[in-house]
Amino acid sequence: MPVSLEWADQPAAPGTLRAELHWEGRPGTAAGITSALRNWKLVRFEATEDPTPGTDGVRFSFTPTLGVFTGVIGASGDIMVPEDRLRAVMANAAVGKATLEQELDRLLGTPWDNELEPFRRAGDGAPVRWLHAAV
């Protein structure tokens, strides 16, 4: 369905704009959104699907310098790291390709969080995201 976004100035990068959209869709929709938006090359974004009964959530983060990060989100909101990815990280650290800390940071999306954090902060008329605890 057509979407209309409310754009506001982005204080973290003067001369740019920001928008936020809350959406609902079937599992996998965030992957489709990410595939479409990543082609815009200069845009920074996150697309998140909340976990539902029987389905883990997922968060996609994109920056022009880092590309796409994908993290599986568990029911508690934590990034869940699959066993095979942990084993690959340990192997890379063991042969000196990177430190264990650097590899774990990448698995958790820390570089993306660090780059996106200034853009997440609402400011000067931008929408504020209020988080509510589930009951």
Side-chain angles (χ1 to χ4, degrees):
M1 80 174 49
V3 173
S4 177
L5 297 174
E6 185 177 323
W7 294 94
D9 289 334
Q10 172 52 275
T16 65
L17 300 172
R18 65 178 278 146
E20 187 171 329
L21 174 68
H22 296 275
W23 54 276
E24 291 184 24
R26 69 186 191 294
T29 301
I33 291 169
T34 298
S35 292
L37 290 178
R38 72 184 284 184
N39 292 324
W40 290 12
K41 303 296 182 208
L42 297 178
V43 70
R44 292 171 182 84
F45 68 89
E46 292 179 289
T48 304
E49 288 181 12
D50 292 330
T52 59
T55 305
D56 288 328
V58 65
R59 179 181 63 145
F60 296 94
S61 300
F62 179 85
T63 74
T65 57
L66 297 171
V68 175
F69 167 78
T70 305
V72 174
I73 308 295
S76 65
D78 293 325
I79 300 261
M80 309 301 289
V81 180
E83 178 182 339
D84 61 333
R85 292 184 73 190
L86 284 173
R87 290 186 189 284
V89 159
M90 291 187 307
N92 286 341
V95 297
K97 288 186 178 178
T99 68
L100 185 58
E101 182 179 44
Q102 290 168 327
E103 291 284 312
L104 290 174
D105 277 346
R106 286 190 64 76
L107 279 180
L108 296 174
T110 302
W112 287 264
D113 286 336
N114 291 342
E115 191 169 324
L116 289 169
E117 188 56 33
F119 296 92
R120 291 178 181 141
R121 294 188 193 114
D124 296 339
V128 175
R129 180 184 305 178
W130 294 99
L131 302 177
H132 299 280
V135 179

